[in-house]
Amino acid sequence: MEMAELLTQRLELIHQWYKGMVNPQSGMLEYLYLPHMDSFLRERSPIRDIASVWDIELLERFLHKDELRPVVETSLRHYQAYLIERDGYLILDPRRLEEPSSIAHSSFMVLALLYAPLPSERSLIAGLVEGILRQQRPDGSYKVYFHDLPDAGEELYAGEAMLALLETYRHLGDPRCLSSAERAFLYYDAQYFRRGRVAADILVFFANWQSQACRLLFECTQSVARKHEVAGYVFRMHDRIIELGFYDDVERAPARQVSVAVACALEGLNDAYAIARASQDARAERYRRCICIGLTYLLMVQCTRNCTERERGGFGMALDERAQRIDVTGHAASAFMKSVENRIACPPAAG
């Protein structure tokens, strides 16, 4: 079986899995499923909740389905009720969130609204985007919280903000979004990554969001010089991950791996592969081989048999840990979709 066909079959299983993760009372997704108890663990995680709405929007678009629209619409209505105006822009109300409001909340709300199956109010997107833009400092970095708090989670949240801005630029054409993302890219390359501020155990997550944003920046910018700079940044991140032995370890010791790390690594590496291929860079073949190693692992960790009804199609936290979290499955689904779109070909053993 060709890899694209196999991955598409597995994406169909993921789509079915999402249906089993819907709470019948709220009409929204559950956060964590525990197969050994056949029960859900209800934890508040608004960022992951909103991000998962975007995940299922992308999955349904890829599979040409519309069955999860009620979940999307219910979830968006729920979180739209959290929106409050502050100094001429919108944020999600920290009292309703029960946690400080950040650029991550706003970014995933923007992404979910942009990809909603029904046209969203542009005023909501514009208000949220305005808030993110105002969080950018003169040096190009983003202040994470809309409150007087020190930054936390910058390794992830900055890339998510850049991605939301670039998707807004792509959909709505606001040039401020492109300009902000360009300034941010220059900062997070020169002042963050190259200065060694990203720990090795965080690198795959940092590289994932930065690469997703930078692929869009690579495609959106008209400057050949800027394209070259963006490609160099993305290649440095993924070359570093490979040099640290990440994929060698996945191949040799799959039992030691954490599925969310492999899924996130493959999301970003697929974007690096797309840039390498567009640039006719020889790294593309090296990246393809590493993607195949990661896909082999994810295909193993996805539950396809000896499962509870709800468990089938989802991804455990590891080969020996069956607990399933919505963001893990979302990252894996994205890695599968990108691999199909990139026409990744792997040896038959990878399936």
Side-chain angles (χ1 to χ4, degrees), residues 13 16-17 20-21 33-40 303-314 322-324:
L13 289 179
Q16 191 65 32
W17 177 86
M21 290 292 287
Y33 174 62
L34 303 175
H36 66 286
M37 299 172 60
D38 194 19
S39 66
F40 297 108
C303 191
T304 59
R305 56 183 180 271
N306 301 322
C307 304
T308 68
E309 183 179 350
R310 286 194 179 97
E311 185 181 9
R312 187 168 184 263
R322 292 169 59 191
Q324 297 179 331

mmCIF file of all heavy atoms in Angstrom, residues 13 16-17 20-21 33-40 303-314 322-324:
data_model
loop_
_atom_site.group_PDB
_atom_site.id
_atom_site.type_symbol
_atom_site.label_atom_id
_atom_site.label_comp_id
_atom_site.label_asym_id
_atom_site.label_seq_id
_atom_site.Cartn_x
_atom_site.Cartn_y
_atom_site.Cartn_z
ATOM 1 N N LEU A 13 -9.677 7.150 10.442
ATOM 2 C CA LEU A 13 -9.827 6.628 11.803
ATOM 3 C C LEU A 13 -9.755 7.766 12.828
ATOM 4 O O LEU A 13 -10.490 7.753 13.827
ATOM 5 C CB LEU A 13 -8.744 5.588 12.102
ATOM 6 C CG LEU A 13 -8.832 4.234 11.402
ATOM 7 C CD1 LEU A 13 -7.653 3.360 11.822
ATOM 8 C CD2 LEU A 13 -10.151 3.538 11.732
ATOM 9 N N GLN A 16 -13.029 9.534 12.969
ATOM 10 C CA GLN A 16 -13.994 8.767 13.761
ATOM 11 C C GLN A 16 -13.697 8.896 15.247
ATOM 12 O O GLN A 16 -14.608 8.983 16.073
ATOM 13 C CB GLN A 16 -13.960 7.293 13.325
ATOM 14 C CG GLN A 16 -15.080 6.434 13.884
ATOM 15 C CD GLN A 16 -16.449 6.855 13.378
ATOM 16 O OE1 GLN A 16 -16.582 7.336 12.249
ATOM 17 N NE2 GLN A 16 -17.467 6.684 14.203
ATOM 18 N N TRP A 17 -12.407 8.923 15.600
ATOM 19 C CA TRP A 17 -12.001 9.065 17.000
ATOM 20 C C TRP A 17 -12.518 10.374 17.582
ATOM 21 O O TRP A 17 -12.999 10.409 18.709
ATOM 22 C CB TRP A 17 -10.478 9.004 17.087
ATOM 23 C CG TRP A 17 -9.915 9.217 18.455
ATOM 24 C CD1 TRP A 17 -9.733 8.271 19.428
ATOM 25 C CD2 TRP A 17 -9.446 10.457 19.012
ATOM 26 N NE1 TRP A 17 -9.170 8.851 20.553
ATOM 27 C CE2 TRP A 17 -8.996 10.182 20.328
ATOM 28 C CE3 TRP A 17 -9.363 11.755 18.531
ATOM 29 C CZ2 TRP A 17 -8.463 11.167 21.158
ATOM 30 C CZ3 TRP A 17 -8.835 12.754 19.361
ATOM 31 C CH2 TRP A 17 -8.399 12.454 20.655
ATOM 32 N N GLY A 20 -15.963 10.268 18.948
ATOM 33 C CA GLY A 20 -16.077 9.659 20.260
ATOM 34 C C GLY A 20 -15.588 10.524 21.391
ATOM 35 O O GLY A 20 -15.840 10.218 22.565
ATOM 36 N N MET A 21 -14.896 11.615 21.059
ATOM 37 C CA MET A 21 -14.377 12.530 22.081
ATOM 38 C C MET A 21 -15.335 13.686 22.368
ATOM 39 O O MET A 21 -15.003 14.579 23.150
ATOM 40 C CB MET A 21 -13.023 13.094 21.637
ATOM 41 C CG MET A 21 -11.898 12.075 21.635
ATOM 42 S SD MET A 21 -11.427 11.502 23.299
ATOM 43 C CE MET A 21 -10.555 12.946 23.926
ATOM 44 N N TYR A 33 -8.764 11.104 27.339
ATOM 45 C CA TYR A 33 -9.481 9.836 27.442
ATOM 46 C C TYR A 33 -8.551 8.789 28.045
ATOM 47 O O TYR A 33 -7.397 8.639 27.626
ATOM 48 C CB TYR A 33 -9.957 9.381 26.065
ATOM 49 C CG TYR A 33 -10.579 8.011 26.063
ATOM 50 C CD1 TYR A 33 -11.734 7.738 26.806
ATOM 51 C CD2 TYR A 33 -10.013 6.978 25.326
ATOM 52 C CE1 TYR A 33 -12.294 6.476 26.813
ATOM 53 C CE2 TYR A 33 -10.580 5.715 25.325
ATOM 54 C CZ TYR A 33 -11.710 5.465 26.073
ATOM 55 O OH TYR A 33 -12.269 4.208 26.079
ATOM 56 N N LEU A 34 -9.060 8.048 29.043
ATOM 57 C CA LEU A 34 -8.297 7.000 29.725
ATOM 58 C C LEU A 34 -8.873 5.644 29.339
ATOM 59 O O LEU A 34 -9.878 5.197 29.909
ATOM 60 C CB LEU A 34 -8.370 7.202 31.240
ATOM 61 C CG LEU A 34 -7.890 8.566 31.740
ATOM 62 C CD1 LEU A 34 -8.135 8.703 33.246
ATOM 63 C CD2 LEU A 34 -6.418 8.779 31.418
ATOM 64 N N PRO A 35 -8.283 4.959 28.349
ATOM 65 C CA PRO A 35 -8.861 3.703 27.854
ATOM 66 C C PRO A 35 -8.978 2.608 28.907
ATOM 67 O O PRO A 35 -9.926 1.826 28.895
ATOM 68 C CB PRO A 35 -7.899 3.293 26.736
ATOM 69 C CG PRO A 35 -7.249 4.568 26.307
ATOM 70 C CD PRO A 35 -7.116 5.365 27.564
ATOM 71 N N HIS A 36 -8.009 2.545 29.831
ATOM 72 C CA HIS A 36 -8.039 1.458 30.811
ATOM 73 C C HIS A 36 -9.234 1.582 31.754
ATOM 74 O O HIS A 36 -9.655 0.607 32.378
ATOM 75 C CB HIS A 36 -6.735 1.412 31.607
ATOM 76 C CG HIS A 36 -6.501 2.604 32.476
ATOM 77 N ND1 HIS A 36 -6.120 3.830 31.962
ATOM 78 C CD2 HIS A 36 -6.604 2.786 33.826
ATOM 79 C CE1 HIS A 36 -5.989 4.693 32.945
ATOM 80 N NE2 HIS A 36 -6.276 4.090 34.096
ATOM 81 N N MET A 37 -9.806 2.795 31.831
ATOM 82 C CA MET A 37 -11.014 3.013 32.636
ATOM 83 C C MET A 37 -12.235 3.272 31.756
ATOM 84 O O MET A 37 -13.345 3.370 32.261
ATOM 85 C CB MET A 37 -10.804 4.213 33.572
ATOM 86 C CG MET A 37 -9.665 4.050 34.553
ATOM 87 S SD MET A 37 -9.330 5.581 35.470
ATOM 88 C CE MET A 37 -10.903 5.865 36.283
ATOM 89 N N ASP A 38 -12.002 3.376 30.447
ATOM 90 C CA ASP A 38 -13.039 3.754 29.478
ATOM 91 C C ASP A 38 -13.795 4.985 29.970
ATOM 92 O O ASP A 38 -15.019 5.027 30.015
ATOM 93 C CB ASP A 38 -14.022 2.605 29.218
ATOM 94 C CG ASP A 38 -14.888 2.868 27.979
ATOM 95 O OD1 ASP A 38 -14.498 3.715 27.159
ATOM 96 O OD2 ASP A 38 -15.956 2.240 27.868
ATOM 97 N N SER A 39 -13.018 6.011 30.354
ATOM 98 C CA SER A 39 -13.633 7.230 30.878
ATOM 99 C C SER A 39 -12.789 8.440 30.509
ATOM 100 O O SER A 39 -11.621 8.305 30.121
ATOM 101 C CB SER A 39 -13.780 7.149 32.396
ATOM 102 O OG SER A 39 -12.504 7.126 33.022
ATOM 103 N N PHE A 40 -13.387 9.604 30.632
ATOM 104 C CA PHE A 40 -12.698 10.860 30.349
ATOM 105 C C PHE A 40 -12.225 11.490 31.648
ATOM 106 O O PHE A 40 -12.868 11.358 32.689
ATOM 107 C CB PHE A 40 -13.627 11.835 29.631
ATOM 108 C CG PHE A 40 -14.080 11.356 28.279
ATOM 109 C CD1 PHE A 40 -15.379 10.939 28.071
ATOM 110 C CD2 PHE A 40 -13.196 11.324 27.212
ATOM 111 C CE1 PHE A 40 -15.801 10.501 26.831
ATOM 112 C CE2 PHE A 40 -13.604 10.883 25.961
ATOM 113 C CZ PHE A 40 -14.910 10.471 25.774
ATOM 114 N N CYS A 303 -3.760 3.615 17.787
ATOM 115 C CA CYS A 303 -4.497 2.405 18.157
ATOM 116 C C CYS A 303 -5.431 2.014 17.020
ATOM 117 O O CYS A 303 -6.330 2.772 16.640
ATOM 118 C CB CYS A 303 -5.301 2.666 19.434
ATOM 119 S SG CYS A 303 -5.979 1.154 20.125
ATOM 120 N N THR A 304 -5.206 0.819 16.454
ATOM 121 C CA THR A 304 -6.043 0.335 15.353
ATOM 122 C C THR A 304 -6.699 -1.007 15.657
ATOM 123 O O THR A 304 -7.603 -1.420 14.941
ATOM 124 C CB THR A 304 -5.205 0.191 14.066
ATOM 125 O OG1 THR A 304 -4.127 -0.731 14.308
ATOM 126 C CG2 THR A 304 -4.640 1.535 13.631
ATOM 127 N N ARG A 305 -6.257 -1.678 16.703
ATOM 128 C CA ARG A 305 -6.879 -2.958 17.079
ATOM 129 C C ARG A 305 -6.654 -3.171 18.572
ATOM 130 O O ARG A 305 -5.837 -2.518 19.195
ATOM 131 C CB ARG A 305 -6.307 -4.128 16.271
ATOM 132 C CG ARG A 305 -4.807 -4.276 16.349
ATOM 133 C CD ARG A 305 -4.326 -5.408 15.452
ATOM 134 N NE ARG A 305 -2.889 -5.553 15.509
ATOM 135 C CZ ARG A 305 -2.042 -4.912 14.729
ATOM 136 N NH1 ARG A 305 -2.503 -4.054 13.836
ATOM 137 N NH2 ARG A 305 -0.738 -5.104 14.846
ATOM 138 N N ASN A 306 -7.399 -4.129 19.133
ATOM 139 C CA ASN A 306 -7.363 -4.382 20.572
ATOM 140 C C ASN A 306 -7.610 -3.099 21.360
ATOM 141 O O ASN A 306 -6.904 -2.782 22.322
ATOM 142 C CB ASN A 306 -6.023 -5.003 20.986
ATOM 143 C CG ASN A 306 -5.742 -6.308 20.277
ATOM 144 O OD1 ASN A 306 -6.657 -7.110 20.058
ATOM 145 N ND2 ASN A 306 -4.501 -6.523 19.895
ATOM 146 N N CYS A 307 -8.624 -2.333 20.899
ATOM 147 C CA CYS A 307 -8.923 -1.034 21.480
ATOM 148 C C CYS A 307 -10.349 -1.011 22.007
ATOM 149 O O CYS A 307 -11.200 -1.783 21.578
ATOM 150 C CB CYS A 307 -8.828 0.068 20.416
ATOM 151 S SG CYS A 307 -7.270 0.165 19.546
ATOM 152 N N THR A 308 -10.594 -0.079 22.910
ATOM 153 C CA THR A 308 -11.980 0.242 23.208
ATOM 154 C C THR A 308 -12.550 0.978 21.997
ATOM 155 O O THR A 308 -11.816 1.454 21.122
ATOM 156 C CB THR A 308 -12.101 1.143 24.449
ATOM 157 O OG1 THR A 308 -11.546 2.430 24.143
ATOM 158 C CG2 THR A 308 -11.374 0.545 25.641
ATOM 159 N N GLU A 309 -13.864 1.087 21.944
ATOM 160 C CA GLU A 309 -14.501 1.742 20.797
ATOM 161 C C GLU A 309 -14.018 3.183 20.654
ATOM 162 O O GLU A 309 -13.734 3.665 19.554
ATOM 163 C CB GLU A 309 -16.024 1.711 20.959
ATOM 164 C CG GLU A 309 -16.772 2.315 19.775
ATOM 165 C CD GLU A 309 -18.279 2.253 19.959
ATOM 166 O OE1 GLU A 309 -18.749 1.575 20.907
ATOM 167 O OE2 GLU A 309 -18.986 2.891 19.161
ATOM 168 N N ARG A 310 -13.907 3.889 21.769
ATOM 169 C CA ARG A 310 -13.469 5.285 21.718
ATOM 170 C C ARG A 310 -11.974 5.410 21.425
ATOM 171 O O ARG A 310 -11.521 6.388 20.859
ATOM 172 C CB ARG A 310 -13.761 5.984 23.041
ATOM 173 C CG ARG A 310 -15.227 6.301 23.277
ATOM 174 C CD ARG A 310 -15.349 7.291 24.425
ATOM 175 N NE ARG A 310 -16.724 7.658 24.688
ATOM 176 C CZ ARG A 310 -17.493 7.122 25.624
ATOM 177 N NH1 ARG A 310 -16.998 6.166 26.392
ATOM 178 N NH2 ARG A 310 -18.734 7.518 25.800
ATOM 179 N N GLU A 311 -11.202 4.430 21.830
ATOM 180 C CA GLU A 311 -9.751 4.512 21.718
ATOM 181 C C GLU A 311 -9.266 4.371 20.276
ATOM 182 O O GLU A 311 -8.253 4.961 19.895
ATOM 183 C CB GLU A 311 -9.135 3.401 22.577
ATOM 184 C CG GLU A 311 -7.635 3.409 22.684
ATOM 185 C CD GLU A 311 -7.138 2.249 23.535
ATOM 186 O OE1 GLU A 311 -7.934 1.357 23.884
ATOM 187 O OE2 GLU A 311 -5.936 2.238 23.833
ATOM 188 N N ARG A 312 -9.986 3.635 19.470
ATOM 189 C CA ARG A 312 -9.532 3.308 18.121
ATOM 190 C C ARG A 312 -9.372 4.576 17.271
ATOM 191 O O ARG A 312 -10.278 5.391 17.177
ATOM 192 C CB ARG A 312 -10.521 2.345 17.446
ATOM 193 C CG ARG A 312 -10.043 1.812 16.109
ATOM 194 C CD ARG A 312 -10.943 0.659 15.660
ATOM 195 N NE ARG A 312 -10.456 0.055 14.434
ATOM 196 C CZ ARG A 312 -10.917 0.354 13.219
ATOM 197 N NH1 ARG A 312 -11.903 1.239 13.085
ATOM 198 N NH2 ARG A 312 -10.419 -0.227 12.155
ATOM 199 N N GLY A 313 -8.195 4.709 16.695
ATOM 200 C CA GLY A 313 -7.906 5.854 15.843
ATOM 201 C C GLY A 313 -7.095 6.934 16.523
ATOM 202 O O GLY A 313 -6.475 7.760 15.858
ATOM 203 N N GLY A 314 -7.097 6.932 17.862
ATOM 204 C CA GLY A 314 -6.342 7.936 18.599
ATOM 205 C C GLY A 314 -4.921 7.490 18.875
ATOM 206 O O GLY A 314 -4.506 6.382 18.523
ATOM 207 N N ARG A 322 -1.471 4.260 27.141
ATOM 208 C CA ARG A 322 -2.642 4.352 26.267
ATOM 209 C C ARG A 322 -3.450 5.632 26.435
ATOM 210 O O ARG A 322 -4.314 5.907 25.596
ATOM 211 C CB ARG A 322 -3.553 3.136 26.518
ATOM 212 C CG ARG A 322 -2.943 1.817 26.058
ATOM 213 C CD ARG A 322 -3.749 0.630 26.569
ATOM 214 N NE ARG A 322 -5.130 0.665 26.115
ATOM 215 C CZ ARG A 322 -6.091 -0.141 26.582
ATOM 216 N NH1 ARG A 322 -5.785 -1.029 27.530
ATOM 217 N NH2 ARG A 322 -7.320 -0.055 26.116
ATOM 218 N N ALA A 323 -3.215 6.407 27.477
ATOM 219 C CA ALA A 323 -3.986 7.637 27.676
ATOM 220 C C ALA A 323 -3.887 8.520 26.434
ATOM 221 O O ALA A 323 -2.814 8.694 25.858
ATOM 222 C CB ALA A 323 -3.486 8.388 28.901
ATOM 223 N N GLN A 324 -5.042 9.083 26.018
ATOM 224 C CA GLN A 324 -5.108 9.838 24.765
ATOM 225 C C GLN A 324 -5.541 11.279 25.028
ATOM 226 O O GLN A 324 -6.587 11.520 25.621
ATOM 227 C CB GLN A 324 -6.098 9.178 23.802
ATOM 228 C CG GLN A 324 -5.678 7.775 23.383
ATOM 229 C CD GLN A 324 -6.692 7.139 22.448
ATOM 230 O OE1 GLN A 324 -7.879 7.439 22.500
ATOM 231 N NE2 GLN A 324 -6.237 6.250 21.598
#
